[in-house]
Amino acid sequence: MGSLWGLWALLWGLFWGVRCPPPTPPRPVIVVHGLLDSARDFGRLQEFIAESHPGTNVSVLDLFDRGQSLRPLWVQVEGFRRAVEPIMANAAGGVHLICYSQGGLICRALLCTMEQHNVHSFISLAAPQMGQYGDTQYLRWLFPRHMKSNLYRLCYTALGQGVSICNYWNDPHHRDLYLNSSDFLAPLNDERLHPNASAWKQNLLRIRNLILIGGPDDGVITPWQSRCDPKNPTAALKAPRGPRDDPKGAQMAPKWPPKSPK
């Protein structure tokens, strides 16, 4: 009888060993800060993730802090690429990206230009995915002598494109200048044809989840609809779709999935 019970115990252990494998470790989380921020500003977020999901490896990337965040966005994209590649290489199950404000654009550019990324979820926090056009505390501090109505005179020049915020300045009253001068946002949003458009789309579509978070009260991104997905039912209802519908130039985020060039 004892041997029979031992056999049952062995079979039971084998059965549950097959049916109930050890829990999969949580995916690493990569955090990218925004304009004029630094990695230290996200300590509370790092602590919250650690408390909510024990064992999660959280990397708040300490690159392009404070004034260095004004450097051209393609330069920052390349720097962050070098930082995330080893993290991704050591994460067989993929990683999650949490990217704040300007960092959301950097992360989307990373996803578009990295052929072998393994990002599972891309969380964009208050990021100007369709650009910036409006007076905010950042704008008044950076350009105290320029009103939003004439900032295009600086941003849509070779000199202006050397400043990060000008890389996504989207003035609806000077659309042609924007399309012809924007080195970053126009090609990233597939608003200007370029040879990598199809590949960028396929790279972006490797992600499993896209979460866009934002609202009208943060006083940072203007218009606030720039961070929203028009197919998301939580997006602003009846939000203006373009400069013709809204003299202030409020626009929704790019359609999901992104369209391919004709």
Side-chain angles (χ1 to χ4, degrees), residues 51-62:
E51 293 173 1
S52 303
H53 302 277
T56 302
N57 180 19
V58 182
S59 301
V60 184
L61 302 182
D62 191 12

Side-chain angles (χ1 to χ4, degrees), residues 118-191:
N118 60 353
V119 173
H120 187 274
S121 297
F122 170 35
I123 302 173
S124 173
L125 297 175
Q129 299 293 351
M130 276 297 285
Q132 171 84 1
Y133 181 72
D135 293 323
T136 67
Q137 56 182 346
Y138 286 122
L139 183 63
R140 289 189 290 270
W141 182 81
L142 289 170
F143 305 108
R145 297 183 180 181
H146 289 79
M147 298 292 289
K148 72 173 184 180
S149 60
N150 60 25
L151 188 56
Y152 77 93
R153 300 179 187 275
L154 170 64
C155 282
Y156 298 154
T157 65
L159 177 65
Q161 289 297 299
V163 180
S164 65
I165 192 172
C166 286
N167 290 156
Y168 51 92
W169 187 251
N170 190 350
D171 188 333
H173 306 292
H174 301 279
R175 186 71 176 167
D176 290 341
L177 282 175
Y178 160 74
L179 292 174
N180 292 324
S181 304
S182 175
D183 293 337
F184 182 85
L185 187 64
L188 186 64
N189 277 356
D190 198 12
E191 297 172 296

